[in-house]
Each structure stands twice: as C-alpha cells, then as structure tokens.
Amino acid sequence: MKTARVIPLVQQRPAGPLLPEHSPGTFADAAGLVRDQMARPLRDLRISVTDRCNFRCSYCMPKEVFDQHHRYLPQSDLLSFEEITRVAARFVELGVRKIRLTGGEPLLRRGIETLVAQLAALRTPQGEVLDLTLTTNGALLSRKAQALRDAGLQRITVSLDGLDDAVFRSMNDVDFPVAEVLQGIDAAVAAGLGPIKVNMVVKKGCNEGQILPMAQHFKGTGVALRFIEYMDVGSTNGWRMDEVLPSSEVLALLRSAHVLHPVAGTHSGETAERFVHAGALGQADATLGEIGLISSVTRAFCADCNRARLSTDGRLFLCLFASQGIDLRALLRQGASNEALRQAVASAWYGRDDRYSELRSQLPTAHAPSGQRIEMSYIGG
Ligand code: SAM
Ligand code: SF4
Ligand code: SF4
C-alpha cells in the first residue's frame, strides 16, 4: 500500500523564548549581517499590526470561521507602537532594510500613522533610511493615504482581486464596492505613495476572468501589477491544489493579449518573475508598467527567502508556514535589554532552516499537508 508523504511542519525548536548561547558577533558574517543555516541574510521584516479585518476574503479569513464567535486578540496582547519600534530597531541592526506593515488590515489599527512615523525615523547602521511600505485592502485608503505619506510611508501595495464589481464583492465577501478601492489607489498616487503595487490573488473558479481586464486597466498607469498563486497558508481556507491557477497559465493568458518582455531580477529575495509591456515598435517599454508573477506554489523561492515576520502579539516567525513563533513580547515585557533582544533575534535567524515551499514542491502531487498552521491574517502576508 502506498503511504502518504508528510512534510515536517512542526519545527524542532523550544516553545518559549529562544535564548541565545552566543554573542551576536558569532552569528554575523564579514559584512556584519546575520545569516541562517542556508546562508540567507535577514533583510525583510513584515510586521502584522492587527489580526482584524473588514474583509472576509475566502482564501484568507473565510466568513464561516471568522464570524461573530471568533476571538480576536485582546488589546493588551498586541505589541504597542513603542514595542514594535524597539524590536524593529534590533532587526535593522542585524541587516533588515525593508519593513512592511501588514495584518489583518493594517489601516484598522488606530493611530497607524504614529507607528509609521516612528519606523520612518529608524536608520541603518550606515545612517540610511529604510524602505518602509504597507499592504492594505484599500478600503480606508482614500481617507488615510495623505496622512500615511506625511508620516513617512514611502510606498504602498494594494490588494485587489478584480475590477468587475460583482466579482470583487464576492471575493471580499462583505459586499465592498470596487470603486472605493480604485479611489484609494488614486489617492495613494496623488499622495506620492508610488510606485504602487497591486496584488491580485488568483483563485481558479473565482476570479481568473479578471486577469486580462486588470492587465489592461493598469497598463500605462505606473502601477505594477502582481498575480499571486493561491497558497495553502493557514488551515481555515480549505485550500485545494485544483483551485490554484499556475503562473505559467496566467502568463500564457496574458501573452494572448499583450506582448511582454521579461525583466532580469533586481535583487536577491525577489519573489516575482517580472515583465514589462512592449511599446509600439515591440521594444520593452518600462513606462507602460510592469507585471509580476508570484508563483508561491509552483515555483518555490525559499533559497533566497530573507523575510522574517513579527505577529500582532510579538512572535517572531521564520517562515510563512511555521507553526511556532519565538515570543519576543515576553522578552520585552520581562525588561530585556536591547542587547538581549538583538541576541534573541540573531540566534533565531542563525538557527533557521525553513524551506516549506521547496519541500512541498518535492511532493509528487502538491497538496496541502495537514498540521497546525498559523493564519495569514495573524502573521501578515
Ligand atoms: N489586509 C491586507 C491586504 O489584504 O492587503 C494585508 C494583509 S493580507 C494577509 C496580505 C496579502 O496576503 C494580500 O495581498 C492577500 O491577498 C494575500 N493573501 C492572503 N491569503 C492568501 C492566500 N491564501 N494565498 C495567497 N495570498 C494570500
Ligand atoms: Fe483581510 Fe487582507 Fe485577509 Fe482579505 S487578504 S481577509 S483583506 S487580511
Ligand atoms: Fe520563505 Fe517559508 Fe515561503 Fe520558503 S515557504 S519562501 S522559507 S516563507
């Protein structure tokens, strides 16, 4: 009898704070950067500022699970803005150059502009500003864009799963009109939060009919469009491989209507395979805008993954698919020094060997393995 192969999802790490055994110097390379067990540097920090959301996208927070009985984190469990900034500063000391605020819906966190201002004031050890960005569903963006910009936010990514109002309303599952998100994007452009990225998760049977209209709509607008494969993150979305539209098929569809030229990757850790539209003479014309394909399921990019995630309640996750996080909030609230915090982060990153997507892609037929998973809305995308 054929036995099912199981991906080892539970990390063999201690449950509580991972206390360091070495000084951070031990973990750093010649350039002063901390690297993990696969020599991946720590470059990108995603901070989830709330586990709440005003949408109920079926691939992320399905209504049936995130209903009136769902218990969100109490306010006292959330990291305060001061705690977030203090932890983020330690990550920056260890090599982080890009911080992305996410959630849940980050614009629901009261006073988010204050946090943006605090993070915008951080500097690298060389005195450089950070790349500070935020991912939002755009529902509150037209009201908040200018304040975010004024606080020091540099760029923004808006999630938008279709242009057709009926399709969009069914994707967000709270009957939210697409026109308001489009107004939010316009407000972000006007506030100078560009270059703006728009992310569309493609779920087969739901919104693949929106791929070509989205490409047409954003062509020539300066907005970069990203098509994302529907991922088996969390355990509430009932993910099935047959609902994933592989990026190769998205690309074939796009090429049936547009001439696209591939763009060489610009930096290590790049998740998207990027293309630019062709101009009138068939040449690559970057001014017509960019399209990216993020093949989280069909083409693993773990080898370059330099992303750490800080959950709403202050746990450090080393992989989107990790089942345990390292409790930095406990350290903070026990009065740990900056040095102790930095050591905890460095030690955790040094021990990192996560490469879930690569392991998944080694299965004969990709499927969602069982096991406890954290939700995207808690850890941030
Ligand atoms: N609420 C904000 C938003 O939607 O932009 C930020 C948080 S959301 C978790 C971050 C990103 O994760 C969004 O672009 C969303 O589309 C994406 N996402 C959520 N669940 C996903 C899944 N199962 N597969 C692929 N992308 C997913
Ligand atoms: Fe909310 Fe974003 Fe998840 Fe949609 S993807 S439910 S907008 S957190
Ligand atoms: Fe990074 Fe984990 Fe995703 Fe691989 S599966 S790219 S290690 S977050």
Side-chain angles (χ1 to χ4, degrees), residues 53 59-60 102-106 135-137 157 159 161 199 201 228-233 237 376-377 380-381:
C53 189
Y59 53 74
C60 178
T102 176
E105 173 46 41
T135 303
T136 173
N137 62 26
T157 298
S159 304
D161 295 332
N199 280 352
V201 173
I228 304 178
E229 286 176 350
Y230 169 38
M231 271 188 287
D232 49 331
V233 65
N237 61 13
M376 191 84 143
S377 51

Side-chain angles (χ1 to χ4, degrees), residues 130-159:
L130 300 172
D131 182 5
L132 181 59
T133 181
L134 178 148
T135 303
T136 173
N137 62 26
L140 298 171
L141 192 53
S142 50
R143 272 178 267 167
K144 296 250 183 190
Q146 192 59 55
L148 290 166
R149 180 72 188 121
D150 294 345
L153 192 71
Q154 291 163 1
R155 300 186 290 117
I156 206 153
T157 298
V158 182
S159 304

